[in-house]
């Protein structure tokens, strides 16, 4: 969870003699998370699937569903605090996500877009309620949401900016 990541930052800061910097960073990150959660309070929570892999499909775990919840969404395929897991297309279709975040680990935005452009308009993707390509936002997962290190903070900076989980897509 995010608290575990913050605790690891403090631990590394202590081990490297940078306790003050680590504590300042954690205060700033907690403040950012609090501001995002405050802005998302009371909004209609869209159903979100953070797809950590495309074929076979994987539901998110660890801190990703927590970030979705705090940003105003409801992760409907993955679960907070557990490992990411392989899911079936039947599970994904039954969950009926309104927002899909494609974030295969280690893939660049270009790789995800290319794979999705080849496969996304066919097969089970068509059964999801989210209109394909309607609100496409490109994001390199390995540069943001999915990493438990300092660069992982960019996930909230980006979501704080573009409100990716909001039903109206935020201010474009």
């Amino acid at each position: 969870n995010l608290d575990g990541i913050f605790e690891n930052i403090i631990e590394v800061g202590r081990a490297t003699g940078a306790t003050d910097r680590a504590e300042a960073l954690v205060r700033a990150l907690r403040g950012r998370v609090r501001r995002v959660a405050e802005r998302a309070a009371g909004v209609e929570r869209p159903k979100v699937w953070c797809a950590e892999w495309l074929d076979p499909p994987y539901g998110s775990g660890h801190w990703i569903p927590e970030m979705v919840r705090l940003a105003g969404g409801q992760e409907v395929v993955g679960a907070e605090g557990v490992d990411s897991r392989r899911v079936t297309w039947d599970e994904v279709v039954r969950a009926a996500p309104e927002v899909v975040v494609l974030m295969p680990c280690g893939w660049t935005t270009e790789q995800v877009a290319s794979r999705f452009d080849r496969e996304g308009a066919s097969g089970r993707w068509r059964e999801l309620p989210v209109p394909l390509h309607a609100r496409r936002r490109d994001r390199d997962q390995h540069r943001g949401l999915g990493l438990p290190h300092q660069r992982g903070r960019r996930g909230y900076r980006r979501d704080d900016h573009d409100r990716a989980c909001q039903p109206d897509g935020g201010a474009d």
Side-chain angles (χ1 to χ4, degrees):
N1 65 16
L2 291 176
D3 283 334
I5 293 171
F6 297 155
E7 290 168 16
N8 286 341
I9 292 170
I10 299 294
E11 192 175 312
V12 169
R14 286 187 188 123
T16 60
T19 302
D20 291 343
R21 280 184 67 197
E23 289 174 349
L25 174 60
V26 167
R27 275 192 305 278
L29 292 171
R30 287 185 190 279
R32 183 175 295 134
V33 169
R34 186 185 66 255
R35 287 188 301 278
V36 168
E38 287 169 356
R39 284 186 12 192
V43 300
E44 185 177 330
R45 296 187 172 275
K47 297 192 294 184
V48 177
W49 172 35
C50 291
E52 290 199 12
W53 203 250
L54 306 181
D55 185 24
Y58 266 74
S60 66
H62 305 287
W63 56 89
I64 300 299
E66 179 183 12
M67 290 177 72
V68 169
R69 176 179 50 79
L70 292 168
Q74 170 188 312
E75 168 56 88
V76 292
V77 177
E80 287 187 39
V82 299
D83 290 344
S84 304
R85 67 180 182 88
R86 185 176 180 168
V87 297
T88 67
W89 273 108
D90 287 340
E91 289 176 83
V92 175
V93 170
R94 273 194 310 272
E98 300 161 305
V99 175
V100 177
V101 179
L102 304 175
M103 48 184 286
C105 188
W107 289 19
T108 65
T109 299
E110 293 78 21
Q111 289 169 315
V112 173
S114 173
R115 179 79 176 262
F116 184 75
D117 287 344
R118 279 196 320 269
E119 300 172 11
S122 63
R124 302 297 303 265
W125 290 100
R126 289 185 203 225
E127 298 176 51
L128 301 180
V130 63
L132 299 181
H133 300 291
R135 288 191 320 208
R136 182 164 146 182
R137 297 182 192 274
D138 294 331
R139 166 168 295 155
D140 285 346
Q141 186 272 347
H142 69 282
R143 294 185 186 157
L145 294 173
L147 294 178
H149 54 66
Q150 186 182 15
R151 286 193 312 173
R153 68 193 166 108
R154 291 185 187 153
Y156 264 118
R157 180 173 294 148
R158 289 175 182 164
D159 283 340
D160 195 25
H161 172 71
D162 68 20
R163 306 290 304 271
C165 288
Q166 297 307 309
D168 66 357
D172 285 88

